[in-house]
Amino acid sequence: MSASVAQIGGGCADAPVLRERGQREVFCGLTGIIWLHRKIQDAFFLVVGSRTCAHLIQSAAGVMIFAEPRFATAIIDERDLAGLSDANDELDRVVAKLLARRPDIKLLFLVGSCPSEVIKLDLSRAAQRLSQVHMPQVRVLNYSGSGIETTFTQGEDACLAALVPIMPRSPAPAGKSLLVVGALAEVVEDQFSRLFAAMGIEDVAYMPPRKSVDLPAVGPGTRYLLAQPFLAETARALEARGAVRLPAPFPLGAEGTQAWLQAAAREWGIGKDRFDAAVAPARARAEGALGKFRNELGGKKIFFFPDSQLELPLARFVARELGMNVLEAGTPYLHRQHLAEELAWLPAGTRLSEGQDVERQLDRCRAEKPDLVVCGLGLANPLEAEGISTKWSIELLFTPIQGFNQAADLAELFARPLVRRMKLAV
Ligand code: SF4
């Protein structure tokens, strides 16, 4: 598979990007269920898939899967229309049984998988049909978590994008409201809410909400901040409803968090004094807590394999706030608009890559002997066996890492594998 260099438009804003389209080592979008099911507490994710899909979710998260693996497997075997109508009947039956047993469910996601996409089972039609049956108690939506040509964080993007059409319309003419988009730990949301309130921004909502019945309203008065860098579809859907994105880096590290908050402050016309009074103490604490990790990690070489789409903001954080030497920052997709501020902040000369040709990338990685590699689970074990310390990128999705109070926790995630290896070496 050939690699090519293309130009994108201080730091790495105009740096060349190595584009690779070869074999990839990534999880599928079903993985998002692991954090989303905790986040939206009255929602249920019903994977319509095979035994492989059920095993993936169960072994990764212990999530109960109510789709009968037999049902999905039978669909793959029987690609005829009769099989499809059976599949729909079976799905209706499983959903009815599930909802009768679980009156706490207010929102049901039918999550598509590779098998359901291969046989072209129309889950959006099924969701409409089932919504008609079960509304108003339960709304049924669908999205795809299939691993065909996707990466694992796209599951969250697809899920949130499916929610946008059912968000209430904000009354017009409306004042401005702030929407923070991307699943965050509740502790992080609470900290952000306190900071926004101290700055003077009171009308703040989060997407996804903790309860599906509390979906925030959206409209031309909505200004939104992305809390995660992998939400291209969701952003498109929000903008189609009139919302306007506030360009900002992502709230990782002290510097990233300050700039992210500043984007809202600018939009709301909040003066420097008020902003500093609200934010400076938390920022100073975060910077102080990062000092220890700068000593441990400064000058260490780090290599990011493309996996979570968090790679560029993370590379920016470790380079600028921890003094690490980023050998390569690989990302599955490079969304230039959403990442413009991150690119501008990356140290000039950082090698950027998009997509993957895993063998070539492994060759580059081995040749440069990084101190730490951030990668998916599939690559971590072989690299560890070769004596290279690794950090699983998926951990960065399960751990609260955004905001000032979490900056040191984020740094520690990078320090821990190195400390562990040093201890093993003693
Ligand atoms: S959705 Fe596709 S990639 Fe994911 S577990 Fe199921 S079969 Fe495997």
Side-chain angles (χ1 to χ4, degrees), residues 48 91 110-113 116 121-128 142-143:
V48 184
L91 183 59
L110 303 178
V111 187
S113 63
S116 53
L121 181 59
D122 189 340
L123 287 184
S124 101
R125 251 212 173 118
Q128 278 170 19
N142 75 290
Y143 73 88

Side-chain angles (χ1 to χ4, degrees), residues 28 30 50 52-53 56 113-115 145-147:
C28 67
L30 296 186
S50 64
T52 312
C53 311
L56 171 92
S113 63
C114 306
S146 154

Side-chain angles (χ1 to χ4, degrees), residues 157-411:
D157 190 21
C159 173
L160 299 195
L163 282 172
V164 174
I166 62 163
M167 291 168 82
R169 185 189 304 272
S170 61
K176 265 190 287 195
S177 64
L178 181 61
L179 184 64
V180 175
V181 185
L184 291 171
E186 290 182 6
V187 57
V188 174
E189 282 183 5
D190 293 342
Q191 286 163 22
F192 284 151
S193 291
R194 283 196 294 275
L195 287 166
F196 285 127
M199 285 158 54
I201 305 175
E202 298 287 351
D203 193 354
V204 183
Y206 295 86
M207 169 84 170
R210 297 177 193 186
K211 289 251 158 75
S212 69
V213 289
D214 296 333
L215 262 183
V218 65
T222 306
R223 300 291 176 270
Y224 74 95
L225 275 172
L226 287 177
Q228 301 285 10
F230 42 75
L231 298 174
E233 282 307 313
T234 308
R236 236 193 306 273
L238 286 168
E239 283 167 24
R241 299 218 32 203
V244 177
R245 184 176 67 91
L246 302 178
F250 291 87
L252 298 175
E255 188 181 44
T257 303
Q258 166 148 328
W260 186 80
L261 293 166
Q262 224 154 19
R266 254 194 315 275
E267 179 69 18
W268 264 257
I270 292 159
K272 183 178 180 314
D273 289 351
R274 179 149 198 201
F275 180 77
D276 286 347
V279 162
R283 171 163 183 162
R285 274 198 305 277
E287 282 177 342
L290 286 174
K292 162 177 177 290
F293 296 103
R294 250 191 311 277
N295 294 337
E296 283 176 13
L297 294 170
K300 294 272 193 288
K301 293 184 286 183
I302 187 167
F303 193 112
F304 288 87
F305 279 79
D307 196 38
S308 66
Q309 301 193 62
L310 282 164
E311 291 83 8
L312 264 54
L314 290 171
R316 175 268 297 166
F317 165 69
V318 300
R320 289 171 63 106
E321 297 197 55
L322 301 176
M324 295 184 84
N325 175 10
V326 178
L327 300 172
E328 177 164 335
T331 179
Y333 303 104
L334 181 54
H335 194 299
R336 294 180 195 192
Q337 246 181 328
H338 291 179
L339 289 164
E341 289 72 20
E342 296 290 351
L343 286 166
W345 267 3
L346 271 172
T350 308
R351 188 170 64 239
L352 305 175
S353 63
E354 184 191 22
Q356 189 166 48
D357 188 336
V358 69
E359 289 305 328
R360 280 170 177 264
Q361 203 166 24
L362 280 167
D363 288 347
R364 292 198 295 277
C365 175
R366 289 181 182 119
E368 291 179 313
K369 298 192 181 3
D371 297 292
L372 182 65
V373 167
V374 181
C375 60
L377 288 160
L379 291 178
N381 282 347
L383 287 170
E384 287 279 346
E386 292 174 30
I388 298 174
S389 295
T390 61
K391 165 59 45 194
W392 296 347
S393 49
I394 201 163
E395 255 188 82
L396 296 151
L397 270 302
F398 299 154
T399 315
I401 55 171
Q402 293 82 4
F404 291 127
N405 295 15
Q406 279 62 239
D409 296 344
L410 175 57

Side-chain angles (χ1 to χ4, degrees), residues 64-193:
M64 290 297 292
I65 301 298
F66 287 81
E68 323 278 12
R70 177 189 54 75
F71 154 69
T73 309
I75 296 166
I76 295 167
D77 292 342
E78 307 287 336
R79 295 193 184 190
D80 56 0
L81 282 173
L84 265 184
S85 92
D86 287 352
N88 281 309
D89 291 348
E90 180 72 352
L91 183 59
D92 292 4
R93 193 188 63 75
V94 170
V95 167
K97 208 167 141 195
L98 166 69
L99 297 180
R101 198 172 53 225
R102 296 280 305 275
D104 53 309
I105 299 170
K106 301 284 178 267
L107 173 64
L108 175 66
F109 285 107
L110 303 178
V111 187
S113 63
C114 306
S116 53
E117 285 190 8
V118 167
I119 61 139
K120 306 209 184 311
L121 181 59
D122 189 340
L123 287 184
S124 101
R125 251 212 173 118
Q128 278 170 19
R129 182 178 70 239
L130 287 162
S131 266
Q132 274 167 9
V133 175
H134 297 285
M135 284 275 275
Q137 284 79 16
V138 184
R139 190 188 277 276
V140 185
L141 297 176
N142 75 290
Y143 73 88
S144 170
S146 154
I148 300 172
E149 289 300 308
T150 56
T151 189
F152 75 93
T153 45
Q154 281 175 282
E156 176 174 334
D157 190 21
C159 173
L160 299 195
L163 282 172
V164 174
I166 62 163
M167 291 168 82
R169 185 189 304 272
S170 61
K176 265 190 287 195
S177 64
L178 181 61
L179 184 64
V180 175
V181 185
L184 291 171
E186 290 182 6
V187 57
V188 174
E189 282 183 5
D190 293 342
Q191 286 163 22
F192 284 151
S193 291

